[in-house]
């Protein structure tokens, strides 16, 4: 087997390609994001139409703080694989960080149309509505997420932040008490916000 071929010369179904792809995934799992990005850039060539590769690179780029590049790969991912709901969620987050709230809402609503029980998308949608000052819509999204997964620590953390932003110390304390039971480390951070 010739292992010196460039990634662009490898077929996306070849064992060599799969081996390099797995190497990149291992780098992501080991938080070696720069190395993962380098491998995935090599595999992607000019414009890969491999949705799993584009998504893996987007995850590495997000973890490395490269939101714009990640956004491009996420847009390709959702265009190539409409079933990858995590890509929609991440794209919604990237659009939010770029100040494109309306676009983020559209992406997240599409994910929720595909799966109304996708708790993480409800959480990001709440963030978008909070950013827009639409507090009732943010609370509606968080209530929906809570209804779907009452024991989800991320939901309770976001509810705590919602109540804090509204000056509702009673609500903040209630979420703190829940988090003390399900996620003590997060609760310890919330405790610092309590009066």
């Amino acid at each position: 087997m010739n292992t010196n071929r460039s990634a662009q010369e490898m077929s996306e179904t070849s064992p060599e390609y799969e081996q390099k792809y797995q190497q990149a995934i291992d780098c992501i799992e080991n938080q070696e994001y720069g190395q993962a990005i380098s491998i995935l850039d090599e595999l992607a060539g000019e414009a890969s139409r491999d949705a799993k590769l584009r998504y893996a690179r987007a995850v590495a780029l997000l973890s490395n703080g490269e939101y714009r590049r990640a956004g491009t790969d996420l847009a390709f991912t959702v265009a190539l694989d409409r079933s990858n709901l995590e890509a929609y969620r991440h794209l919604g987050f990237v659009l939010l960080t770029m100040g494109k709230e309306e676009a983020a809402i559209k992406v997240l609503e599409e994910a929720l149309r595909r799966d109304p029980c996708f708790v993480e998308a409800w959480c990001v949608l709440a963030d978008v509505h909070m950013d827009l000052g639409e507090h009732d819509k943010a609370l509606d999204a968080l209530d929906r997420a809570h209804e779907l997964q009452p024991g989800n620590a991320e939901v309770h953390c976001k509810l705590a932040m919602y109540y804090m932003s509204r000056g509702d110390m009673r609500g903040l304390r209630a979420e703190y008490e829940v988090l003390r039971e399900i996620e003590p480390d997060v609760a310890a951070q919330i405790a610092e916000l309590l009066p």
Side-chain angles (χ1 to χ4, degrees), residues 1-20 23 39 42-43:
M1 179 165 84
N2 181 0
T3 57
N4 294 326
R5 293 191 314 166
S6 74
Q8 290 89 350
E9 295 172 329
M10 291 182 224
S11 162
E12 291 179 2
T13 58
S14 75
E16 296 164 289
Y17 184 91
E18 281 301 317
Q19 182 181 15
K20 278 205 161 287
Q23 182 183 2
I39 294 166
E42 180 184 342
L43 286 176

